Amino acid sequence: MTPMLEAKGLVRRYAMRRGLMGRSVEVRAVDGVSLSVERGRTLGLVGESGCGKSTTGRLVLGLEAPDAGSVAFQDKPMPPPGTDAWRALRSRMQMVFQDPLGALDRRLPIGAQVQEPLDIHRIGEAKDRAGRAMEALRAVGLRPDQAARYPHELSGGQRQRAVLARALATEPALLVCDEPISALDVSIQAQVMNLLMDQQERLGLGILFISHDLRAVRQVSHRVAVMYLGTIVEEGEPDAVLHEPAHPYAQALVSAIPHPGRSGQRIVLQGDPPNPADRPSGCAFHPRCPVATALCARETPVLKPRRGDGRLVACHVVQGDVAPAVTRKAA
Ligand code: SF4
Protein backbone atom coordinates (compact mmCIF):
# COMPACT_ATOMS: atom_id res chain seq x y z
CA MET A 1 0.00 0.00 0.00
CA THR A 2 1.34 3.49 -0.86
CA PRO A 3 1.71 5.58 2.29
CA MET A 4 -0.36 8.78 2.46
CA LEU A 5 2.36 10.33 4.58
CA GLU A 6 6.03 9.63 4.16
CA ALA A 7 8.77 11.37 6.12
CA LYS A 8 12.43 10.72 5.31
CA GLY A 9 15.47 11.60 7.39
CA LEU A 10 13.85 14.43 9.39
CA VAL A 11 16.26 16.52 11.46
CA ARG A 12 15.31 19.39 13.75
CA ARG A 13 17.95 21.29 15.70
CA TYR A 14 17.50 24.05 18.25
CA ALA A 15 20.11 26.40 19.68
CA MET A 16 20.12 26.49 23.48
CA ARG A 17 22.06 28.83 25.80
CA ARG A 18 23.89 27.07 28.61
CA GLY A 19 26.10 28.07 31.53
CA LEU A 20 27.01 31.43 33.06
CA MET A 21 28.56 32.70 29.85
CA GLY A 22 25.46 31.71 27.92
CA ARG A 23 27.39 29.44 25.55
CA SER A 24 25.15 28.29 22.71
CA VAL A 25 24.81 24.54 22.26
CA GLU A 26 22.96 22.65 19.60
CA VAL A 27 20.12 20.34 20.60
CA ARG A 28 19.03 17.75 18.08
CA ALA A 29 15.39 17.24 19.02
CA VAL A 30 14.83 15.00 16.01
CA ASP A 31 17.78 13.26 14.45
CA GLY A 32 17.09 11.43 11.20
CA VAL A 33 13.54 10.15 11.68
CA SER A 34 11.83 8.33 8.80
CA LEU A 35 8.26 7.09 9.09
CA SER A 36 5.15 6.46 7.05
CA VAL A 37 1.41 6.36 7.68
CA GLU A 38 -1.00 4.52 5.40
CA ARG A 39 -4.68 5.23 4.74
CA GLY A 40 -6.93 3.74 7.42
CA ARG A 41 -3.93 2.73 9.57
CA THR A 42 -2.38 4.05 12.76
CA LEU A 43 1.30 4.41 13.52
CA GLY A 44 1.94 4.66 17.27
CA LEU A 45 4.97 6.72 18.27
CA VAL A 46 6.16 6.04 21.83
CA GLY A 47 9.02 7.10 24.06
CA GLU A 48 9.83 9.05 27.20
CA SER A 49 8.94 12.68 27.60
CA GLY A 50 11.43 14.87 25.68
CA CYS A 51 12.47 12.16 23.19
CA GLY A 52 11.30 14.18 20.17
CA LYS A 53 7.86 12.63 19.57
CA SER A 54 5.93 15.90 19.58
CA THR A 55 8.49 17.69 17.45
CA THR A 56 8.22 14.84 14.94
CA GLY A 57 4.43 15.36 14.88
CA ARG A 58 4.83 19.08 14.18
CA LEU A 59 7.41 18.40 11.45
CA VAL A 60 5.23 15.95 9.55
CA LEU A 61 2.36 18.46 9.55
CA GLY A 62 4.64 21.29 8.44
CA LEU A 63 3.96 23.27 11.65
CA GLU A 64 7.76 23.49 11.87
CA ALA A 65 10.25 23.29 9.01
CA PRO A 66 12.88 20.54 9.29
CA ASP A 67 16.58 21.41 9.10
CA ALA A 68 17.02 18.36 6.88
CA GLY A 69 14.85 15.63 5.42
CA SER A 70 11.56 15.66 3.55
CA VAL A 71 7.85 15.03 4.01
CA ALA A 72 5.52 13.86 1.25
CA PHE A 73 1.74 13.91 1.69
CA GLN A 74 -0.44 12.00 -0.78
CA ASP A 75 2.56 11.52 -3.09
CA LYS A 76 3.47 15.20 -3.27
CA PRO A 77 6.21 17.07 -1.39
CA MET A 78 4.87 19.05 1.58
CA PRO A 79 4.77 22.76 0.58
CA PRO A 80 6.85 25.11 2.75
CA PRO A 81 5.04 26.04 6.01
CA GLY A 82 3.05 29.26 5.87
CA THR A 83 2.59 29.29 2.07
CA ASP A 84 -0.86 29.33 0.43
CA ALA A 85 -0.27 25.79 -0.88
CA TRP A 86 0.50 24.59 2.66
CA ARG A 87 -2.57 26.34 4.12
CA ALA A 88 -4.74 24.72 1.44
CA LEU A 89 -3.46 21.28 2.53
CA ARG A 90 -4.07 21.92 6.24
CA SER A 91 -7.76 21.00 5.94
CA ARG A 92 -6.60 17.48 4.93
CA MET A 93 -4.18 17.19 7.87
CA GLN A 94 -5.33 17.96 11.40
CA MET A 95 -3.75 17.76 14.84
CA VAL A 96 -5.27 16.91 18.22
CA PHE A 97 -3.32 18.09 21.26
CA GLN A 98 -3.11 16.84 24.82
CA ASP A 99 -4.84 19.77 26.49
CA PRO A 100 -8.36 20.28 25.10
CA LEU A 101 -8.92 23.47 27.10
CA GLY A 102 -5.74 24.99 25.65
CA ALA A 103 -6.78 23.95 22.12
CA LEU A 104 -10.18 25.64 22.36
CA ASP A 105 -11.05 29.35 22.46
CA ARG A 106 -12.67 30.05 25.84
CA ARG A 107 -14.65 32.97 24.39
CA LEU A 108 -16.43 31.05 21.62
CA PRO A 109 -19.24 28.48 21.82
CA ILE A 110 -18.24 24.96 20.81
CA GLY A 111 -20.44 24.88 17.69
CA ALA A 112 -18.79 28.04 16.29
CA GLN A 113 -15.33 26.55 16.92
CA VAL A 114 -16.20 23.33 15.10
CA GLN A 115 -17.52 25.37 12.17
CA GLU A 116 -14.46 27.64 12.06
CA PRO A 117 -12.16 25.37 9.98
CA LEU A 118 -14.98 24.91 7.44
CA ASP A 119 -15.18 28.70 7.09
CA ILE A 120 -11.39 29.16 6.96
CA HIS A 121 -10.97 26.55 4.24
CA ARG A 122 -14.25 27.53 2.51
CA ILE A 123 -15.47 23.95 2.57
CA GLY A 124 -18.99 23.48 1.16
CA GLU A 125 -21.68 26.16 0.80
CA ALA A 126 -21.65 28.82 3.55
CA LYS A 127 -25.32 28.07 4.36
CA ASP A 128 -24.55 24.38 4.97
CA ARG A 129 -21.57 24.80 7.28
CA ALA A 130 -23.49 25.12 10.55
CA GLY A 131 -25.25 21.84 9.68
CA ARG A 132 -21.91 20.14 8.97
CA ALA A 133 -20.56 21.35 12.29
CA MET A 134 -23.61 19.82 14.03
CA GLU A 135 -22.99 16.54 12.20
CA ALA A 136 -19.38 16.54 13.37
CA LEU A 137 -20.52 17.12 16.97
CA ARG A 138 -23.04 14.29 16.70
CA ALA A 139 -20.37 11.98 15.23
CA VAL A 140 -18.26 12.37 18.38
CA GLY A 141 -21.25 11.85 20.69
CA LEU A 142 -22.04 15.46 21.63
CA ARG A 143 -25.64 16.69 21.59
CA PRO A 144 -26.78 19.58 19.33
CA ASP A 145 -27.73 21.67 22.40
CA GLN A 146 -24.08 21.44 23.58
CA ALA A 147 -23.02 23.44 20.50
CA ALA A 148 -24.09 26.62 22.31
CA ARG A 149 -21.92 25.87 25.35
CA TYR A 150 -18.51 27.37 26.09
CA PRO A 151 -15.48 25.15 26.77
CA HIS A 152 -15.60 25.71 30.55
CA GLU A 153 -19.21 24.46 30.60
CA LEU A 154 -18.15 21.00 29.34
CA SER A 155 -16.38 18.14 31.13
CA GLY A 156 -12.78 17.20 30.17
CA GLY A 157 -14.02 14.28 28.05
CA GLN A 158 -16.62 16.43 26.30
CA ARG A 159 -13.98 19.08 25.57
CA GLN A 160 -11.69 16.48 23.97
CA ARG A 161 -14.68 15.26 21.91
CA ALA A 162 -15.22 18.86 20.78
CA VAL A 163 -11.54 19.10 19.77
CA LEU A 164 -11.94 15.88 17.80
CA ALA A 165 -15.13 17.18 16.16
CA ARG A 166 -13.25 20.32 15.12
CA ALA A 167 -10.38 18.24 13.71
CA LEU A 168 -12.75 15.85 11.89
CA ALA A 169 -15.18 18.48 10.53
CA THR A 170 -13.04 19.03 7.42
CA GLU A 171 -12.94 15.24 6.83
CA PRO A 172 -9.13 15.11 6.90
CA ALA A 173 -7.05 12.30 5.46
CA LEU A 174 -4.46 12.46 8.25
CA LEU A 175 -4.78 13.05 11.98
CA VAL A 176 -1.78 13.63 14.23
CA CYS A 177 -2.81 13.00 17.84
CA ASP A 178 -0.28 14.23 20.42
CA GLU A 179 -1.00 12.62 23.81
CA PRO A 180 -4.76 12.95 23.10
CA ILE A 181 -5.91 11.06 26.19
CA SER A 182 -3.26 11.93 28.79
CA ALA A 183 -5.36 14.63 30.44
CA LEU A 184 -8.50 12.46 30.65
CA ASP A 185 -9.91 10.09 33.28
CA VAL A 186 -9.32 6.40 32.54
CA SER A 187 -13.02 5.77 31.76
CA ILE A 188 -13.07 8.69 29.30
CA GLN A 189 -9.77 7.57 27.71
CA ALA A 190 -11.41 4.36 26.48
CA GLN A 191 -14.33 6.34 25.00
CA VAL A 192 -12.02 8.72 23.13
CA MET A 193 -9.89 5.87 21.76
CA ASN A 194 -12.99 3.98 20.58
CA LEU A 195 -14.18 7.18 18.96
CA LEU A 196 -10.88 7.60 17.14
CA MET A 197 -11.06 4.03 15.80
CA ASP A 198 -14.70 4.51 14.70
CA GLN A 199 -13.82 7.70 12.85
CA GLN A 200 -10.81 6.00 11.27
CA GLU A 201 -13.09 3.31 9.89
CA ARG A 202 -15.65 5.88 8.71
CA LEU A 203 -13.20 8.24 6.99
CA GLY A 204 -10.25 5.95 6.19
CA LEU A 205 -8.11 8.23 8.36
CA GLY A 206 -4.39 7.73 8.62
CA ILE A 207 -3.38 8.45 12.23
CA LEU A 208 -0.04 9.24 13.86
CA PHE A 209 -0.76 8.50 17.54
CA ILE A 210 1.90 10.02 19.78
CA SER A 211 1.87 8.83 23.39
CA HIS A 212 3.95 7.65 26.31
CA ASP A 213 1.04 5.31 27.24
CA LEU A 214 2.04 1.95 25.79
CA ARG A 215 -1.29 0.31 26.55
CA ALA A 216 -3.20 2.98 24.63
CA VAL A 217 -0.73 2.75 21.75
CA ARG A 218 -1.12 -1.01 21.60
CA GLN A 219 -4.91 -0.69 21.50
CA VAL A 220 -5.10 1.72 18.57
CA SER A 221 -1.96 1.07 16.48
CA HIS A 222 -1.31 -1.12 13.45
CA ARG A 223 2.42 -0.37 13.70
CA VAL A 224 4.56 1.01 16.51
CA ALA A 225 7.80 3.01 16.51
CA VAL A 226 9.85 3.53 19.67
CA MET A 227 11.87 6.77 19.95
CA TYR A 228 14.93 7.49 22.07
CA LEU A 229 16.71 10.83 22.06
CA GLY A 230 15.44 11.96 18.69
CA THR A 231 15.75 8.69 16.77
CA ILE A 232 13.57 5.64 16.13
CA VAL A 233 15.25 2.62 17.71
CA GLU A 234 12.64 -0.06 16.95
CA GLU A 235 9.63 -0.34 14.67
CA GLY A 236 7.24 -3.18 13.91
CA GLU A 237 3.89 -4.81 14.65
CA PRO A 238 2.45 -3.82 18.05
CA ASP A 239 2.26 -7.44 19.24
CA ALA A 240 5.96 -7.92 18.51
CA VAL A 241 7.35 -4.57 19.68
CA LEU A 242 5.15 -4.18 22.77
CA HIS A 243 5.12 -7.83 23.82
CA GLU A 244 8.63 -9.02 22.97
CA PRO A 245 10.69 -5.91 22.26
CA ALA A 246 14.13 -6.45 20.71
CA HIS A 247 15.96 -3.17 21.40
CA PRO A 248 17.33 -2.88 24.98
CA TYR A 249 15.66 0.51 25.48
CA ALA A 250 12.30 -0.79 24.21
CA GLN A 251 12.70 -3.77 26.56
CA ALA A 252 13.15 -1.44 29.54
CA LEU A 253 10.20 0.72 28.47
CA VAL A 254 7.88 -2.25 28.03
CA SER A 255 9.05 -4.00 31.22
CA ALA A 256 7.63 -1.09 33.26
CA ILE A 257 4.09 -2.02 32.17
CA PRO A 258 2.55 -4.97 34.07
CA HIS A 259 1.14 -7.49 31.57
CA PRO A 260 -0.52 -10.80 32.46
CA GLY A 261 0.93 -12.71 29.50
CA ARG A 262 4.50 -11.53 29.89
CA SER A 263 7.10 -12.96 32.19
CA GLY A 264 10.22 -11.25 33.43
CA GLN A 265 11.01 -8.46 35.84
CA ARG A 266 11.04 -4.75 35.38
CA ILE A 267 14.33 -3.50 33.89
CA VAL A 268 15.49 -0.47 35.83
CA LEU A 269 17.77 1.64 33.67
CA GLN A 270 21.01 2.84 35.20
CA GLY A 271 22.45 6.32 34.79
CA ASP A 272 20.84 9.68 34.21
CA PRO A 273 17.94 10.31 31.84
CA PRO A 274 19.17 11.56 28.48
CA ASN A 275 20.09 15.20 27.97
CA PRO A 276 19.56 16.16 24.31
CA ALA A 277 22.12 18.99 24.71
CA ASP A 278 24.79 16.47 25.69
CA ARG A 279 24.23 13.61 23.33
CA PRO A 280 26.44 10.56 23.96
CA SER A 281 28.68 9.36 21.12
CA GLY A 282 27.81 6.31 19.03
CA CYS A 283 24.55 4.76 20.21
CA ALA A 284 22.93 7.50 22.33
CA PHE A 285 21.58 4.81 24.68
CA HIS A 286 24.99 3.29 25.50
CA PRO A 287 25.57 4.98 28.90
CA ARG A 288 22.36 3.36 30.19
CA CYS A 289 22.36 0.15 28.19
CA PRO A 290 22.85 -3.09 30.17
CA VAL A 291 24.38 -4.94 27.19
CA ALA A 292 26.54 -2.18 25.66
CA THR A 293 29.86 -3.11 24.05
CA ALA A 294 32.89 -0.99 23.18
CA LEU A 295 31.55 -0.60 19.64
CA CYS A 296 28.37 1.05 20.97
CA ALA A 297 30.24 4.14 22.19
CA ARG A 298 31.98 4.55 18.82
CA GLU A 299 29.44 3.76 16.13
CA THR A 300 25.84 4.84 15.74
CA PRO A 301 23.69 1.80 14.88
CA VAL A 302 21.48 2.09 11.81
CA LEU A 303 17.76 1.24 11.89
CA LYS A 304 17.48 -1.84 9.69
CA PRO A 305 15.47 -5.07 9.39
CA ARG A 306 16.44 -7.65 11.98
CA ARG A 307 17.38 -11.05 10.66
CA GLY A 308 14.54 -13.48 11.32
CA ASP A 309 11.44 -11.38 11.91
CA GLY A 310 12.05 -8.30 9.72
CA ARG A 311 11.18 -5.73 12.37
CA LEU A 312 13.36 -2.62 12.23
CA VAL A 313 15.90 -2.28 15.03
CA ALA A 314 18.85 0.08 15.59
CA CYS A 315 21.23 -1.91 17.79
CA HIS A 316 24.65 -3.50 17.16
CA VAL A 317 23.96 -6.39 19.53
CA VAL A 318 20.43 -7.20 18.36
CA GLN A 319 21.63 -7.04 14.75
CA GLY A 320 24.35 -9.54 15.62
CA ASP A 321 27.22 -7.17 14.72
CA VAL A 322 28.82 -7.93 18.09
CA ALA A 323 28.26 -10.32 20.96
CA PRO A 324 26.62 -8.78 24.03
CA ALA A 325 29.12 -7.78 26.72
CA VAL A 326 27.67 -6.32 29.86
CA THR A 327 29.30 -3.01 30.75
CA ARG A 328 26.63 -1.80 33.14
CA LYS A 329 27.49 1.50 34.78
CA ALA A 330 27.09 2.05 38.47
CA ALA A 331 23.87 3.85 39.43
FE1 SF4 B 1 22.77 -1.07 23.73
FE2 SF4 B 1 24.77 -1.06 21.98
FE3 SF4 B 1 22.35 -1.79 21.21
FE4 SF4 B 1 22.86 0.75 21.78
S1 SF4 B 1 23.74 -0.42 20.10
S2 SF4 B 1 21.10 -0.41 22.42
S3 SF4 B 1 24.28 0.55 23.48
S4 SF4 B 1 23.65 -2.83 22.69
Side-chain angles (χ1 to χ4, degrees):
M1 198 187 290
T2 312
M4 74 159 57
L5 175 85
E6 188 152 37
K8 289 187 183 159
L10 292 178
V11 174
R12 183 71 173 110
R13 307 183 200 99
Y14 300 106
M16 198 174 91
R17 296 236 164 248
R18 196 164 72 168
L20 283 177
M21 304 299 288
R23 190 168 62 89
S24 182
V25 291
E26 182 186 277
V27 175
R28 282 194 168 216
V30 174
D31 195 10
V33 164
S34 298
L35 56 81
S36 62
V37 180
E38 292 166 355
R39 184 176 191 279
R41 313 283 283 179
T42 299
L43 173 68
L45 194 56
V46 299
E48 291 166 300
S49 172
C51 71
K53 308 185 296 290
S54 297
T55 307
T56 301
R58 289 196 296 275
L59 291 175
V60 299
L61 284 183
L63 297 173
E64 282 185 44
D67 294 302
S70 63
V71 178
F73 177 65
Q74 294 182 327
D75 272 342
K76 295 197 183 85
M78 180 74 74
T83 60
D84 287 347
W86 176 76
R87 270 191 284 274
L89 264 191
R90 286 288 286 124
S91 68
R92 307 290 296 138
M93 309 176 295
Q94 296 286 346
M95 186 153 189
V96 175
F97 295 95
Q98 174 179 353
D99 172 20
L101 201 51
L104 293 167
D105 187 336
R106 291 162 200 247
R107 299 158 305 176
L108 271 185
I110 293 300
Q113 298 195 52
V114 174
Q115 186 180 329
E116 201 171 39
L118 299 172
D119 293 332
I120 290 171
H121 296 289
R122 297 199 182 94
I123 293 172
E125 299 284 325
K127 63 179 173 42
D128 298 331
R129 289 181 196 142
R132 282 188 67 156
M134 285 297 176
E135 265 174 45
L137 284 171
R138 258 195 295 269
V140 299
L142 290 174
R143 297 187 311 271
D145 63 285
Q146 289 173 316
R149 301 220 181 138
Y150 289 82
H152 70 273
E153 295 177 306
L154 300 179
S155 68
Q158 289 169 337
R159 282 197 286 265
Q160 194 59 305
R161 284 169 182 270
V163 169
L164 267 177
R166 187 182 150 96
L168 297 171
T170 60
E171 303 206 338
L174 175 74
L175 201 58
V176 175
C177 301
D178 189 0
E179 303 280 5
I181 56 167
S182 304
L184 305 177
D185 291 344
V186 175
S187 58
I188 309 292
Q189 288 181 356
Q191 288 177 21
V192 170
M193 285 196 295
N194 287 337
L195 186 59
L196 265 180
M197 291 188 283
D198 287 349
Q199 297 302 312
Q200 179 170 57
E201 206 171 306
R202 187 172 76 87
L203 299 171
L205 271 175
I207 300 178
L208 178 61
F209 189 90
I210 298 168
S211 180
H212 68 279
D213 183 338
L214 300 194
R215 275 185 279 214
V217 166
R218 186 178 178 141
Q219 190 178 334
V220 300
S221 303
H222 299 92
R223 227 174 144 71
V224 172
V226 180
M227 274 188 90
Y228 185 81
L229 216 52
T231 61
I232 291 176
V233 295
E234 180 164 350
E235 185 184 332
E237 304 286 324
D239 279 349
V241 175
L242 299 180
H243 191 54
E244 291 184 338
H247 190 281
Y249 170 66
Q251 288 173 358
L253 201 65
V254 170
S255 77
I257 308 293
H259 191 280
R262 196 180 52 238
S263 58
Q265 291 188 329
R266 178 172 184 180
I267 300 168
V268 179
L269 289 175
Q270 309 295 310
D272 296 327
N275 176 0
D278 201 6
R279 193 186 173 80
S281 61
C283 173
F285 186 56
H286 85 259
R288 305 171 82 194
C289 180
V291 293
T293 69
L295 176 68
C296 301
R298 289 197 313 269
E299 274 185 31
T300 306
V302 175
L303 187 70
K304 57 185 180 182
R306 183 171 79 149
R307 284 188 283 274
D309 65 5
R311 81 174 84 169
L312 303 174
V313 187
C315 174
H316 296 307
V317 168
V318 169
Q319 293 294 353
D321 297 342
V322 288
V326 176
T327 59
R328 189 189 289 270
K329 306 271 159 112

